[in-house]
Each structure stands twice: as structure tokens, then as C-alpha cells.
Amino acid sequence: MVAMTSPKSAGNYPATAQDWFNGARPHTWANAVAPVIAGTGAAFGINGGHIGRAVLALIVAWALIIGVNYANDYSDGIRGTDDDRTGPQRLTGSGLAQPHHVKHAAFGCFAVAGLAGIILSLAAGAWWLILIGALCIAGAWFYTGGKNPYGYRGLGEVAVFVFFGLVAVLGTEFTQAGRISWTGLALAIGIGAMSSGVNLVNNIRDIPSDAEAGKVTLAVRLGDKNARLLFTSLLLLPFVLTIAVAFDSWLALAGLVYFPFALRTVRTVNRGATGPELIPVLGLTGRAMLIWAVVEAITIAVV
């Protein structure tokens, strides 16, 4: 009888192109696309939209989200946090790819984000944005990397709110229009809330394995029940913000089209779904965020 061995134990690293694509976690890409769309809509709303700079901002955000996903894969993998998980298979933890290859992929993405960010900052005449970009890259790495990752201290959702909400939306608006607006701020808060929701539901799913591995995420710190209540609040916040933006333009109420998608995720989470049952919520939350960003951006830009 031949003993079955894993790729890791056999010393093989058979990752395919599809494995690398999955490792980039495409279900999280809405976290990168939505803030750029929202920020661009806000910029057009104050007569400052610029498609070329929007494309550069999209490259920055997209490369950064893929980079942080590979960085998390690498750091969690070498720590053993992914040895027992219910989510999608990881490259490092499953032994599909050599750890240093995953690390190089992460830093390659960070380099792309950094280069595009430098070009965007100089085009916008705001060199100081390069420093903010460097802070974003550092935040992406130290989320789970380094000796004392802040993602293991319950600060992951806060970082997502700041970097993929406030910084991404308002940075996109500023680099195009040269200023930010209160509407842009409302969109930034809404996008940040839903983006944090994507991260939170991922951590709710992994509460048992993270707690055992010593990874103290916000979900672990709050506990299952309170984490689910927070997720509900994050997904409903854009509803309130849509009403607020509608005082400036009633067309913004069209953004409420996102609500059925958000409600579906909230129902799934609050009925006590666990483990693999929560995986579809990640993509559905991302779609809700993307729909809200697109509709709000269009309505704001055309007014």
C-alpha cells in the first residue's frame, strides 16, 4: 500500500497558473475597484474627473490588493496559521508553492503599485502622496508580516477601512480634482465599511482556527455574536450614507439598489452560517460594494 503524501511533505511545489490566480483571491478585487470608481465619480461631481489618472489609481489599488493577498498567504503559511483552515486553499500553507516564491510575488505587486503611485502623485502635482503610498505598502506587508503583525492584534478591519476606504477613495478624488468633497468623504466611509465587512466575514469564518493558532483578529476579540452584529452594521451603513448624499441629489437614491445584495449577506451571516457556508458571502459582499460604488459614482457625476 502506497502512503499518500501532500505536495508539501513530498517536497514538491506543483502550483499551476490557476492556483496562482486563485491565490490572488479574485473575490477580493472589488475592494480595489470599488474605491477607484467611487473616487472618480466624486471627482467628476466637482468637475475634476480625469480618466488617465483613474486608470493609474486602479493599477495602484489592484496591484496592492493582490500584493497583500500574496503577502498574507506567505506570512500566515510560514507561521502555520493556515495549517487548519476552512477557506480556499492557500499556496504556502498547502505546499503548492515555495514560500519565497509567494513572497517575491507579493513584493513584485507592491513594486507595480509603488511605480504607478509615484507616476500618479507626480501627475497630480502632489509629491507628498508618495509618502502615503509608501505607508499603504508598509501597511499591506505588516498586516500579517513582520514580528508583530497588527492583523494578529485585531486591527485588520481598521486598516482596511483606512487604506481601501478613506485613502483609496479620497486619494483617487484628490489626484483628479485637486481637492476632496463631502460627497467623496461619504463614499469613502461607505466603501471602507463594506470593504472592512469583506475582511470581517473572512475572519468570522476562521474564528476557531485563528483562536487556536493565536491569531487574535477582531472577530476573535469580539467573539462570534458581536462580530456578526458588527458585520451587519458595516453593511447597512451605506444605506444611511445614500440617504445623506441624496440631500444633494435625489438621483443618489438609486444607490439603494445595492441593498438586496447586502441584505442577503446579512441574513446569511446572522442565521449562524459557519465555515464553508460563509465563503460565498465574501463575493456577494464585494458585489454589493461594487454595485453601490458604480451607481453612486454615475449619479454623482451626471448631476
Side-chain angles (χ1 to χ4, degrees):
M1 182 175 180
V2 179
M4 297 298 291
T5 57
S6 68
K8 193 173 185 178
S9 63
N12 300 317
Y13 300 95
T16 64
Q18 184 63 45
D19 291 327
W20 282 98
F21 177 78
N22 292 336
R25 299 187 222 173
H27 61 266
T28 66
W29 292 358
N31 295 52
V33 178
V36 175
I37 292 174
T40 299
F44 272 101
I46 53 178
N47 302 314
H50 191 291
I51 297 300
R53 293 178 190 175
V55 172
L56 281 171
L58 182 59
I59 294 173
V60 173
W62 188 48
L64 196 59
I65 194 72
I66 295 177
V68 75
N69 285 338
Y70 282 141
N72 291 347
D73 188 305
Y74 166 77
S75 296
D76 284 344
I78 63 173
R79 281 192 172 90
T81 310
D82 287 338
D83 288 350
D84 181 21
R85 61 183 270 110
T86 56
Q89 186 170 248
R90 295 286 190 93
L91 292 165
T92 306
S94 65
L96 285 171
Q98 294 189 44
H100 70 275
H101 287 167
V102 180
K103 182 179 181 180
H104 292 165
F107 277 90
C109 291
F110 292 155
V112 172
L115 178 59
I118 291 173
I119 296 172
L120 177 60
S121 299
L122 296 179
W127 64 266
W128 49 269
L129 284 174
I130 297 174
L131 301 179
I132 294 179
L135 182 62
C136 290
I137 292 174
W141 172 251
F142 289 108
Y143 172 50
T144 55
K147 295 182 179 179
N148 189 29
Y150 64 85
Y152 282 42
R153 299 294 179 267
L155 296 174
E157 283 73 19
V158 175
V160 170
F161 180 82
V162 172
F163 293 129
F164 287 99
L166 300 182
V167 173
V169 176
L170 297 179
T172 297
E173 182 182 20
F174 184 85
T175 53
Q176 295 179 46
R179 61 190 179 95
I180 58 177
S181 62
W182 79 266
T183 302
L185 179 60
L187 294 181
I189 293 172
I191 294 297
M194 286 193 280
S195 191
S196 295
V198 174
N199 199 67
L200 180 61
V201 76
N202 185 69
N203 288 332
I204 290 173
R205 182 199 66 208
D206 293 336
I207 285 177
S209 59
D210 285 345
E212 185 177 350
K215 184 178 181 180
V216 186
T217 63
L218 182 60
V220 170
R221 192 178 294 277
L222 292 177
D224 186 85
K225 181 180 178 180
N226 289 333
R228 292 173 191 267
L229 289 176
L230 176 58
F231 176 82
T232 300
S233 300
L234 292 172
L235 267 290
L236 295 183
L237 181 57
F239 184 97
V240 178
L241 293 168
T242 300
I243 304 299
V245 174
F247 280 100
D248 202 36
S249 170
W250 66 269
L251 286 175
L253 291 174
L256 295 179
V257 70
Y258 99 98
F259 191 67
F261 296 89
L263 189 60
R264 183 178 169 188
T265 67
V266 167
R267 285 176 174 173
T268 300
V269 170
N270 283 285
R271 74 163 186 255
T274 59
E277 296 175 319
L278 287 171
I279 295 176
V281 176
L282 296 170
L284 195 59
T285 303
R287 285 193 290 276
M289 174 171 54
L290 193 57
I291 290 170
W292 189 71
V294 170
V295 175
E296 289 294 271
I298 292 175
T299 57
I300 291 169
V302 299
V303 174

